[in-house]
Amino acid sequence: MDSLASLFSNPIKPIQAQEVKTRSLNAAATEEHSCEFGSGKYYALCAVGGALSCGITHTAVTPLDLVKCRLQVNKEKYKNLGNGFKLTVAEQGAKGLMLGWAPTSIGYTAQGICKFGFYEVFKNFYGGLMGEENAFLYRTSLYLIASASAEFFADIALSPMEACKVRMQTSGLGTFPTTLREAAPKIYAAEGIAGFYKSLVPLWGRQIPYTMMKFACFERTVEALYANVVPKPRDECSKSEQLVVTFAAGYIAGVFCAIVSHPADTVVSYMNKASGSGIGDAVKALGFKGLWGGLGPRIIMIGTLTALQWFIYDGVKVQLRLPRPPPASMPESLKIKLGLAQD
């Protein structure tokens, strides 16, 4: 944490005339925004940020995701992360590491639109229902409920492409198409539309806890970093300094996300590979130890992924000049009730 604090300029310095110029680099509260907070345009642009943050990052880590899935469903053949990369390159060449990039890009772009866009909608909506004071007092619950609601719809958007991706990545060589344009019709011909949604329930089981942790942990970590680590208030930090905090909080959140969602992630991979298998069948076949297979690679992947997603999302907000409210603070009315208001 000390190293994080060292990235920020010293907030205690003599007031000089040239400081007026320096303030232009800071996230001034008077900066003109491109839209009003809570407007339709605001939510639409947040969805654009979500599409970019999820689509770009998930596509970029396709090789790691590929090996992780194979470790989960074929632990006899793929012993560890290094062995998985080595076998994949030996059998399919370097280009084999990008198998499934197309459904990954399309699916997670759609998921990002719903995940981030709907989160902003639900957080504002539920917060309004709760009232300003309760929204602050129970803000962790607010983050959890809003993110769970958003992810419910995000997974419906993701499921068809996730089914194609996992089948392409985990099927034996020569037993299943390796391109999306051939994989999707084959799944539809064999299982109908249900084939794209057969793992939706375990997908919810994986993604909803993941997203609840991702958003709630991120929001509270940002709050804690500004309160205890960053040596000056957020509104005195430059945008680049704020993005450093965003990245750090995102990585911390990502580690916890990977752990809480991993067993369900393993079940999703197994069910999409084994045609006709249910959740119970997958759990029985994998066993307790098998449910945690590939956790190490997933922590690396999800930690980096989550940090980059938040960094890109917040960066898009900066570039599009969207309103970016500061971390939650106690309303004045509540301070008065608790006797904390200063005269």
Side-chain angles (χ1 to χ4, degrees):
M1 290 302 180
D2 291 339
S3 60
L4 177 61
S6 68
L7 296 174
F8 297 83
S9 56
N10 187 354
I12 303 175
K13 56 186 178 182
I15 298 177
Q16 301 174 353
Q18 64 195 36
E19 190 173 353
V20 175
K21 295 181 180 180
T22 304
R23 289 184 184 275
S24 66
L25 299 175
N26 290 349
T30 56
E31 180 184 0
E32 183 179 350
H33 295 131
S34 63
C35 60
E36 182 182 352
F37 177 79
S39 65
K41 181 179 179 180
Y42 172 78
Y43 294 131
L45 292 178
C46 285
V48 171
L52 292 172
S53 70
C54 291
I56 292 172
T57 53
H58 277 277
T59 304
V61 298
T62 295
L64 188 57
D65 184 47
L66 168 74
V67 175
K68 181 267 300 178
C69 287
R70 290 179 173 178
L71 282 170
Q72 289 174 326
V73 303
N74 195 347
K75 53 184 179 291
E76 292 81 14
K77 180 178 179 180
Y78 301 95
K79 307 299 182 184
N80 52 53
L81 185 62
N83 175 256
F85 275 106
K86 183 178 179 180
L87 285 176
T88 299
V89 173
E91 293 177 345
Q92 299 173 270
K95 68 177 183 180
L97 292 172
M98 289 303 295
L99 180 64
W101 73 268
T104 296
S105 180
I106 296 170
Y108 282 93
T109 295
Q111 187 211 39
I113 290 171
C114 299
K115 184 196 295 278
F116 284 91
F118 284 154
Y119 174 72
E120 299 285 357
V121 171
F122 285 121
K123 184 172 71 169
N124 200 22
F125 176 71
Y126 294 149
L129 294 179
M130 294 169 69
E132 186 181 26
E133 293 180 4
N134 285 329
F136 173 78
L137 290 172
Y138 305 105
R139 58 193 181 281
T140 301
S141 297
L142 172 62
Y143 304 147
L144 292 171
I145 296 169
S147 57
S149 300
E151 189 60 36
F152 177 85
F153 295 102
D155 291 341
I156 295 174
L158 169 64
S159 188
M161 291 296 102
E162 180 75 358
C164 294
K165 176 190 79 74
V166 174
R167 192 77 65 86
M168 289 166 61
Q169 291 178 337
T170 60
S171 297
L173 295 178
T175 64
F176 194 79
T178 57
T179 62
L180 177 60
R181 65 178 178 272
E182 295 175 338
K186 184 164 185 176
I187 292 175
Y188 182 77
E191 303 176 55
I193 195 68
F196 296 108
Y197 291 97
K198 72 174 186 177
S199 62
L200 179 58
V201 172
L203 190 61
W204 278 328
R206 179 189 82 184
Q207 289 296 130
I208 290 179
Y210 163 86
T211 301
M212 292 169 73
M213 181 66 73
K214 174 179 180 174
F215 283 86
C217 185
F218 172 80
E219 298 267 22
R220 294 309 299 261
T221 301
V222 167
E223 189 178 326
L225 289 176
Y226 278 114
N228 303 299
V229 179
V230 179
K232 55 186 175 181
R234 178 182 182 269
D235 59 3
E236 294 181 12
C237 295
S238 67
K239 290 188 174 73
S240 60
E241 289 172 338
Q242 291 178 13
L243 290 174
V244 169
V245 175
T246 295
F247 185 87
Y251 207 101
I252 293 169
V255 172
F256 289 100
C257 289
I259 295 171
V260 301
S261 63
H262 190 74
D265 180 64
T266 305
V267 171
V268 169
S269 295
Y270 185 90
M271 288 180 62
N272 278 312
K273 178 197 175 189
S275 180
S277 64
I279 298 175
D281 299 324
V283 172
K284 184 177 180 180
L286 291 164
F288 179 80
K289 185 177 180 180
L291 288 172
W292 296 97
L295 178 60
R298 192 159 187 267
I299 286 178
I300 297 171
M301 183 182 80
I302 297 300
T304 306
L305 199 76
T306 305
L308 289 173
Q309 284 179 357
W310 279 114
F311 185 84
I312 293 171
Y313 181 64
D314 211 22
V316 169
K317 279 186 162 184
V318 168
Q319 292 301 315
L320 297 179
R321 296 184 292 108
L322 298 185
R324 298 165 61 240
S329 58
M330 185 178 294
E332 287 300 320
S333 60
L334 189 57
K335 289 181 180 178
I336 294 173
K337 288 182 180 179
L338 298 176
L340 301 175
Q342 297 181 356
D343 297 330

